[in-house]
Amino acid sequence: MSITRKKGPLYLQVKKIIKDRILHGAYPLGTNIPSEPQLESEFNVSKMTVRNAIQELAQEGYVEKKSGVGTIVIRNTSFSKLSKGKRFTEILVEEGHKIEKQLLHAEWMENEEQDERFQLFGAQCLKIERLYVLDGKPYIHYSHYLSSAILPFRELDELAFQSLYELIEESQIDISNFKDRFTVGPAPEEVERLLQIPHGKAMFKRLRSSYDVTGTIVEYSVGHYNTELQPYLVSYDV
């Protein structure tokens, strides 16, 4: 994973990458994250940079350092104030699955595309395409369309390990309303190829919209799920 000083403090970049791996099951609950020397070597950073990253993760309640044992993962769910319940991927990770998040594409799109999804945001929007791999098999494809108010990043490759909700929070945008719609139908051919789905096969499709306190749309996302690998799960606390 490439990290550079022009992307911000190195320890924060290392922290985000480790946190993302925890949330997606690469470092399972109750196991040790790699040792400090291993992380120093992987990211090509100093011992102090790694220690500062781990210290922040510990302060946020994700890991705990134990003498003679190492740094143990003690929490693998997000504290994001935008998440009212457990996210779907968090449920899968708690059940012992491993989720790998791959950034396929990210670019600023102009309204000239004549696409109604882009036109929701006016003259410009940020489009992010991601693939989620479940236990080594392609599982979910998402296309996210985000308001131009999302401007904390100068280099789009940073989105490879950045949570969408954290991206919105870091832009100091308050989300007050979510709308989810669910349907079934065939996916675009490129999505079928990525998910290794037969052409024309009906798939579970999720359409999500997020709005700020003024009612302005901030995010519109389209997700296709290969539910033959794993059904879509919702967890309710009563």
Side-chain angles (χ1 to χ4, degrees):
M1 182 67 67
S2 173
I3 63 174
T4 65
R5 293 190 182 278
K6 63 182 179 180
K7 296 179 182 179
L10 296 181
Y11 79 95
L12 288 180
Q13 296 177 57
V14 173
K15 169 200 165 185
K16 286 181 179 179
I17 295 171
I18 297 174
K19 178 180 174 181
D20 185 78
R21 291 174 181 176
I22 291 172
L23 295 178
H24 289 85
Y27 303 149
L29 194 66
T31 66
N32 286 34
I33 68 171
S35 67
E36 291 184 5
Q38 287 175 306
L39 294 171
E40 292 165 27
S41 176
E42 176 183 358
F43 298 115
N44 192 28
V45 295
S46 69
K47 180 178 296 185
M48 186 59 66
T49 295
V50 170
R51 287 186 175 177
N52 286 340
I54 292 174
Q55 181 179 1
E56 288 234 342
L57 288 168
Q59 290 174 345
E60 293 182 9
Y62 290 102
V63 300
E64 181 180 9
K65 294 187 70 172
K66 291 189 176 181
S67 179
V69 177
T71 303
I72 301 174
V73 177
I74 59 173
R75 181 182 174 91
N76 58 5
T77 55
S78 175
F79 287 102
S80 171
K81 64 183 180 183
L82 296 179
S83 180
K84 305 303 182 184
K86 291 182 181 177
R87 301 173 191 169
F88 176 46
T89 53
E90 291 178 348
I91 297 172
L92 293 178
V93 169
E94 284 189 342
E95 292 186 348
H97 296 285
K98 179 180 178 181
I99 302 287
E100 180 187 355
K101 180 172 59 179
Q102 300 176 2
L103 176 66
L104 301 178
H105 186 69
E107 65 175 323
W108 287 102
M109 307 294 294
E110 303 295 334
N111 204 356
E112 298 173 356
E113 297 292 328
Q114 299 298 314
D115 187 306
E116 61 179 5
R117 290 167 294 187
F118 305 145
Q119 293 172 7
L120 290 170
F121 301 94
Q124 187 183 57
C125 74
L126 175 62
K127 181 183 179 182
I128 303 170
E129 285 191 68
R130 282 176 169 164
L131 182 69
Y132 291 79
V133 179
L134 177 68
D135 300 327
K137 297 181 180 180
Y139 179 40
I140 308 170
H141 176 275
Y142 252 108
S143 293
H144 304 289
Y145 304 87
L146 300 168
S147 164
S148 58
I150 309 288
L151 293 174
F153 289 96
R154 290 177 293 276
E155 296 194 19
L156 295 180
D157 62 351
E158 295 181 47
L159 296 168
F161 56 85
Q162 179 73 7
S163 159
L164 188 67
Y165 289 115
E166 288 182 348
L167 176 60
I168 293 172
E169 285 184 348
E170 289 182 7
S171 301
Q172 298 183 342
I173 296 174
D174 291 326
I175 298 297
S176 65
N177 181 257
F178 293 92
K179 291 182 180 179
D180 268 317
R181 291 178 291 156
F182 302 95
T183 186
V184 175
E189 289 188 11
E190 177 63 14
V191 175
E192 291 178 335
R193 183 186 67 79
L194 289 167
L195 294 178
Q196 301 175 13
I197 297 293
H199 178 61
K201 182 179 177 64
M203 297 189 65
F204 177 80
K205 182 178 179 180
R206 181 185 183 189
L207 306 171
R208 184 184 65 210
S209 303
S210 304
Y211 302 85
D212 66 16
V213 293
T214 69
T216 301
I217 190 166
V218 174
E219 169 228 357
Y220 176 74
S221 296
V222 180
H224 291 88
Y225 294 68
N226 181 4
T227 50
E228 290 190 355
L229 285 181
Q230 171 70 50
Y232 183 83
L233 300 174
V234 179
S235 177
Y236 296 101
D237 293 324
V238 296

